[in-house]
Amino acid sequence: MKSFKKLFTSKPKPHIPESSFKIGGMGSLKVLDVIPSPEDDSHKLKKAFQGFGTDEDGIIEILGHRDANQRKKIRETYHQLYNETLVDALKSELSGDFGKAVILWTYDPSERDARLANEALKSKKKGIKHLEIIVEMSCASSPQHIVAVRQAYCTLFDHSVEEDIVGSVPPPLRKILVGLVTSYRYDKEVVDTDVANLEADRLHEAIKTKDLAHDDVVFILSTRNFYQLRTTFECYKKKHGNPIDKDIEKSGKGDLESLLRMVMLCIDSPEKHFAEVVGTSIIGLGTDEDSLTRAIISRAEIDMMKVKSEYLNIYKSSLDDAVTGDTSGDYRNFLVTLLGGKI
């Protein structure tokens, strides 16, 4: 629904003192110290949808300051109170990049990634850029998350993400991606340096011979825990002189090389990967709103403070300023809120 609120009224934005917020871990999301009940939030959201126009600021103020567990309770409560899903209500009231961002944020993270993966795999203009979400959910998230995504995918689409990868992604990319999405890695910090040294040599041999989709490469990248792989990458650099992603980059400019570099980067430094996603989405002509939205929504509760630091290191400018300067309106206000800024 198109909003007429801003055409006829200048309603002041709700003011909440900074001392009322807390930030968890390395995420940028600011959550209230004292959270209203899901019933209160649901009533306020319903009120934001009613009347002449939509109260976008009210929607941002509520959903933009609630973590995944709190949003889940709001979704459940809203459905119970109004016999309508919150997502359906948002779809009927919001549109454009702002609407898409709010809806993605409102989904459970596993459902969000399942829907994004399906959208990517069903896209007619498929390329490495469109496959980023598959790599991110496999290599920049916890083992529990990728399992939850696969379960959500089956529930939503009546078949598996692996089936859609096989049916829509050409070899040898599909071999790498199927290995990644079907992996269930050990998630504790256990490292064997002897294995790391041996597998660093095996990866070097595969890169040197341009046999990048070899079974050994897939096995190493899809079964070893992230701590083990980071140690392997460190051994590779010490033994062979270059970071592994740089050697892959030098070995060719094809899709397979690009995909493997993305995999290595997501495993070794997810914050650097997402800083690059943000950077490439806003630098140059036009803005890739879909990639920008995905990066911020995916990391706001995880490590966005690290992403900001890495962005500053790469681009010598503030991520917050870059987003503010390249977006506008309610879409900008929502992203800035998730980044922990003031609107």
Side-chain angles (χ1 to χ4, degrees), residues 123-177:
S123 172
K124 291 183 179 179
K125 49 178 184 178
K126 219 177 273 81
I128 292 301
K129 187 74 177 169
H130 288 78
L131 298 175
E132 279 183 333
I133 177 60
I134 312 292
V135 176
E136 291 165 2
M137 69 191 200
S138 306
C139 301
S141 303
S142 69
Q144 294 78 15
H145 179 70
I146 184 60
V147 170
V149 172
R150 291 174 64 202
Q151 291 172 336
Y153 199 102
C154 288
T155 300
L156 290 167
F157 306 113
D158 293 327
H159 48 271
S160 70
V161 64
E162 302 97 288
E163 288 176 280
D164 280 351
I165 290 171
V166 171
S168 64
V169 179
L173 304 184
R174 72 167 68 136
K175 181 178 179 180
I176 304 289
L177 292 177

Side-chain angles (χ1 to χ4, degrees), residues 101-117:
V102 173
I103 289 164
L104 285 174
W105 178 250
T106 302
Y107 283 130
D108 181 84
S110 60
E111 180 176 352
R112 175 200 68 216
D113 282 359
R115 289 183 180 277
L116 287 172

Side-chain angles (χ1 to χ4, degrees), residues 107-303:
Y107 283 130
D108 181 84
S110 60
E111 180 176 352
R112 175 200 68 216
D113 282 359
R115 289 183 180 277
L116 287 172
N118 181 259
E119 184 180 311
L121 292 170
K122 296 302 181 185
S123 172
K124 291 183 179 179
K125 49 178 184 178
K126 219 177 273 81
I128 292 301
K129 187 74 177 169
H130 288 78
L131 298 175
E132 279 183 333
I133 177 60
I134 312 292
V135 176
E136 291 165 2
M137 69 191 200
S138 306
C139 301
S141 303
S142 69
Q144 294 78 15
H145 179 70
I146 184 60
V147 170
V149 172
R150 291 174 64 202
Q151 291 172 336
Y153 199 102
C154 288
T155 300
L156 290 167
F157 306 113
D158 293 327
H159 48 271
S160 70
V161 64
E162 302 97 288
E163 288 176 280
D164 280 351
I165 290 171
V166 171
S168 64
V169 179
L173 304 184
R174 72 167 68 136
K175 181 178 179 180
I176 304 289
L177 292 177
V178 169
L180 294 175
V181 300
T182 56
S183 171
Y184 186 73
R185 306 173 193 273
Y186 188 65
D187 65 349
K188 300 295 189 295
E189 191 170 354
V190 175
V191 173
D192 186 323
T193 53
D194 290 335
V195 170
N197 274 296
L198 287 170
E199 294 186 342
D201 288 339
R202 185 65 198 93
L203 290 172
H204 181 260
E205 179 66 21
I207 293 169
K208 187 173 72 172
T209 59
K210 299 186 183 297
D211 192 8
L212 297 178
H214 191 281
D215 288 349
D216 288 351
V217 175
V218 177
F219 173 80
I220 292 166
L221 294 179
S222 62
T223 61
R224 302 304 188 198
N225 74 68
F226 292 137
Y227 303 98
Q228 178 71 35
L229 286 169
R230 287 165 192 154
T231 301
T232 298
F233 299 160
E234 288 174 11
C235 291
Y236 185 102
K237 184 177 179 180
K238 287 177 183 176
K239 297 182 78 169
H240 303 291
N242 290 317
I244 189 168
D245 61 304
K246 295 298 181 185
D247 276 356
I248 290 173
E249 201 172 350
K250 288 178 183 177
S251 71
K253 303 294 182 183
D255 286 348
L256 180 58
E257 290 82 4
S258 297
L259 180 71
L260 280 174
R261 180 186 178 276
M262 190 193 307
V263 169
M264 305 289 185
L265 196 56
C266 277
I267 292 170
D268 196 37
S269 179
E271 60 271 18
K272 184 175 181 181
H273 166 78
F274 282 101
E276 290 185 358
V277 171
V278 172
T280 55
S281 70
I282 60 181
I283 291 172
L285 292 174
T287 304
D288 179 359
E289 288 87 0
D290 288 347
S291 294
L292 179 61
T293 297
R294 189 187 77 248
I296 292 176
I297 284 176
S298 297
R299 311 312 284 190
E301 295 182 83
I302 301 175
D303 60 357

Side-chain angles (χ1 to χ4, degrees), residues 14-26:
H15 173 69
I16 300 177
E18 281 296 305
S19 58
S20 301
F21 292 110
K22 61 183 177 181
I23 300 178
M26 293 305 295

